[in-house]
């Protein structure tokens, strides 16, 4: 996808602080971190959102999830972290290339969603 910002990171057309890269996935630091550790984990393949995934993505999705504990641990999240996948308009998704947020630090994170 020519104009997708995360595809540009995959192609090294814009810089990112990459933490992990292999044939299928990349993890890099979020440009606007919400906590001391804020990693984005993406597939190299352009998939717009979790809603666009299908059976053929089973192995890729499994690989992404299974890579998270080591990624988080290597960034110092030894006592837990939060994983978030924002999906679509209601989910607050801003970049339409599937990504998993991995968020953590030393302090317990605040409750995620409040309903007033
Ligand atoms: P979401 O709302 O789930 O789509 O989140 C998109 C995330 O991408 C936000 O946390 C942004 O700070 C992050 N982001 C946007 N552009 C970049 C970039 N060039 N490098 C790293 N992170 C980015
Ligand atoms: Zn993309």
């Amino acid at each position: 996808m020519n104009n997708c910002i995360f595809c540009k990171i995959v192609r090294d057309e814009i810089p990112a602080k990459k933490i992990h890269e292999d044939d299928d996935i990349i993890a890099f630091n979020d440009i606007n971190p919400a906590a001391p550790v804020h990693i984005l984990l993406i597939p190299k393949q352009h998939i717009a959102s979790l809603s666009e995934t299908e059976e053929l993505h089973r192995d890729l999705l499994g690989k992404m999830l299974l890579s998270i504990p080591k990624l988080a641990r290597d960034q110092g999240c030894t006592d837990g972290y939060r994983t978030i996948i924002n999906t679509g308009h209601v989910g607050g998704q801003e970049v339409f290339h599937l990504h998993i947020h991995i968020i953590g630090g030393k302090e317990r994170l605040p409750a995620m969603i409040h309903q007033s």
Side-chain angles (χ1 to χ4, degrees):
M1 293 290 275
N2 281 347
N3 278 324
C4 169
I5 196 158
F6 289 174
C7 283
K8 288 182 180 176
I9 288 175
V10 172
R11 297 193 298 261
D12 280 324
E13 291 172 8
I14 61 170
K17 177 79 182 53
K18 290 183 186 172
I19 291 162
H20 170 84
E21 177 167 10
D22 63 34
D23 287 347
D24 305 309
I25 59 178
I26 301 182
F28 53 93
N29 283 335
D30 195 293
I31 205 167
N32 186 20
V37 175
H38 190 164
I39 306 162
L40 299 176
L41 174 62
I42 68 169
K44 284 189 165 177
Q45 173 188 351
H46 181 86
I47 302 168
S49 80
L50 190 63
S51 291
E52 306 298 316
T53 57
E54 302 173 26
E55 180 61 30
L56 66 94
H57 300 119
R58 174 186 290 267
D59 286 352
L60 178 61
L61 291 170
K63 178 171 180 172
M64 288 177 75
L65 280 181
L66 287 170
S67 73
I68 290 171
K70 179 172 174 6
L71 278 173
R73 207 165 43 238
D74 287 352
Q75 297 304 306
C77 297
T78 54
D79 196 20
Y81 47 86
R82 182 169 294 159
T83 46
I84 300 172
I85 305 176
N86 294 324
T87 303
H89 173 68
V90 169
Q93 186 175 2
E94 290 176 355
V95 177
F96 281 78
H97 180 129
L98 175 64
H99 52 282
I100 303 176
H101 296 257
I102 304 161
I103 298 171
K106 296 273 173 283
E107 307 291 327
R108 187 179 176 90
L109 295 165
M112 196 161 44
I113 294 168
H114 297 280
Q115 179 154 285
S116 51

